[in-house]
Amino acid sequence: MHKIVLSETALARARNQYGKLHPFDTIDPARTALLVIDMQNYFVKPGHQGEVAPAREIVPNINRLAAELRRHGSHVVFIRNGTSDTRESWSNYHEWLTTPERMRRRYEAMQDGHDGFEFWHALDIRPEDAKLTKKRYSAFIQGSSDAERLLRGRDVDTLLITGTATNICCESSARDAMMLNFKTIMVADGLAAQTDEEHNASLSAFYGQFGDVQTVDEVIQALERGGKARAVA
């Protein structure tokens, strides 16, 4: 598990910007969705080219948080990366930002029906959970997935971001979600990158400017407060 250390600059910026450490310290369960990003074999299974080994360590935290969301009547959405039909439409990435051999392995491994496309076996995915495929780092950029349409249709306004890699697909999705006016929380111990340095740099860059950073325990407490507030209202 990553050792989570947010920079002092990020903490000071958050206090100044938000007036407190957590702007979303009360979360309305009915309008909240947990997004589990790219927890699929290509990024989690040993031996795959895109393996992020620390991602295996966060699975219990993701499963625990998903169970709490379901208990509160919230939404759980599993999102994975697919490469079908992207060789031409994302040619800049495939032709310029990776070697030909790495591109070939990546493109083939995350085709629908291939091993890298499948969700990691230890995830507790339930029939009622939504499952989406995205075609870019961000789930929210135009043409990537139906994430925004699905969430708007469920009247969701708050997103909990988990998965891998913290500093790539998760941060890209989180930043775009904030720009689309979702309250966005990166769940620090439900995310994984290749190194502690990359993980913490990503969280520090996001915090105090784009949204909130909370642990699983803090999110659960915020959900409890939100549930009580809704009951009183």
Side-chain angles (χ1 to χ4, degrees), residues 188-223:
D189 51 353
L191 291 158
Q194 293 286 2
T195 65
D196 285 357
E197 289 78 10
E198 290 173 310
H199 181 73
N200 288 317
S202 177
L203 296 179
S204 295
F206 184 84
Y207 192 41
Q209 190 67 48
F210 293 92
D212 206 348
V213 175
Q214 299 185 24
T215 64
V216 170
D217 285 341
E218 288 170 334
V219 168
I220 291 173
Q221 293 165 10
L223 284 166

Side-chain angles (χ1 to χ4, degrees), residues 61-161:
N61 281 352
I62 290 174
N63 287 343
R64 177 184 169 219
L65 190 53
E68 285 293 327
L69 269 287
R70 297 187 196 102
R71 185 174 70 84
H72 281 283
S74 307
H75 309 275
V76 179
V77 184
F78 288 87
I79 303 174
R80 58 187 161 186
N81 194 83
T83 53
S84 297
D85 304 320
T86 63
R87 183 170 291 178
E88 291 76 26
S89 65
W90 205 13
S91 60
N92 174 58
Y93 179 83
H94 288 117
E95 295 178 13
W96 295 95
L97 299 178
T98 185
T99 67
E101 179 58 22
R102 288 187 64 85
M103 181 277 287
R104 182 191 64 78
R105 292 200 299 267
R106 181 184 187 277
Y107 193 82
E108 291 177 358
M110 287 189 286
Q111 291 274 336
D112 190 354
H114 288 241
D115 184 66
F117 184 74
E118 300 302 319
F119 287 113
W120 180 239
H121 67 89
L123 292 170
D124 182 17
I125 302 177
R126 301 296 178 88
E128 64 267 29
D129 299 337
K131 293 183 281 293
L132 297 175
T133 299
K134 64 180 177 65
K135 295 185 177 182
R136 297 291 188 274
Y137 285 167
S138 170
F140 293 99
I141 195 170
Q142 183 178 0
S144 179
S145 81
D146 289 331
E148 183 183 6
R149 182 172 61 84
L150 181 143
L151 296 165
R152 301 290 189 201
R154 298 185 178 192
D155 195 33
V156 168
D157 74 350
T158 301
L159 302 181
L160 310 173
I161 306 295

